[in-house]
Amino acid sequence: MANAPFTIGRNTTVVFLWNGQNIQLPNVTGFRANQETKQQRSDPLNSLPIEFNTPSGWRGQFDVDRQDATLDILIAAIEAAFWNAGTIANGTIYQYIYERDGSTSCYEFTSVAIRLSNAGDYRQEQIVKQTVEFFASQRNMIS
């Protein structure tokens, strides 16, 4: 991929850890992350308005072509932990981007909360697609 003139979808890999365990998602078909900010504004009476944004986490999603029960088992375990013990764990997402110059950029999304927003649409002879939405407190650049 080093010869591609732009970053394309094949230039990225997503690694998902939940409660310290690697969740194998072999068929991630899409990944999206958006920074959230809070807009801060001051409107002084005697000067021009001042506005800036403060970081307020990251929200995103990843899409998976269902190959096995990995996501379903994870969501069931999260629900059981909540209903049985009142606990809610969190996760970490690592996004690796293979750059044109041969280097790799790695971003870590921390304190990740997830929800299975689409558990799948089961139809004859069609791949079942699942979607996980997430919120992360912060995105750090690792390399």
Side-chain angles (χ1 to χ4, degrees), residues 69-81 114-117 132:
T70 299
L71 283 176
D72 300 293
I73 291 168
L74 174 62
I75 296 302
I78 292 169
E79 288 182 10
I114 63 168
R115 75 183 193 105
L116 185 59
S117 61
V132 174

Side-chain angles (χ1 to χ4, degrees), residues 31-112:
F31 180 80
R32 177 179 303 115
N34 301 303
Q35 182 187 33
E36 292 198 346
T37 60
K38 289 191 177 181
Q39 196 173 50
Q40 309 290 334
R41 184 178 173 111
S42 174
D43 290 306
L45 295 174
N46 60 352
S47 67
L48 298 173
I50 302 165
E51 189 171 284
F52 59 95
N53 294 302
T54 54
S56 189
W58 286 77
R59 195 167 300 279
Q61 74 178 47
F62 49 93
D63 303 312
V64 177
D65 284 350
R66 189 181 192 280
Q67 187 173 13
D68 57 27
T70 299
L71 283 176
D72 300 293
I73 291 168
L74 174 62
I75 296 302
I78 292 169
E79 288 182 10
F82 175 74
W83 292 117
N84 295 333
T87 60
I88 299 176
N90 63 32
T92 306
I93 296 172
Y94 293 93
Q95 179 189 21
Y96 297 90
I97 303 171
Y98 308 104
E99 306 292 357
R100 284 190 65 211
D101 63 5
S103 66
T104 301
S105 297
C106 178
Y107 298 94
E108 175 190 52
F109 297 82
T110 61
S111 298
V112 172

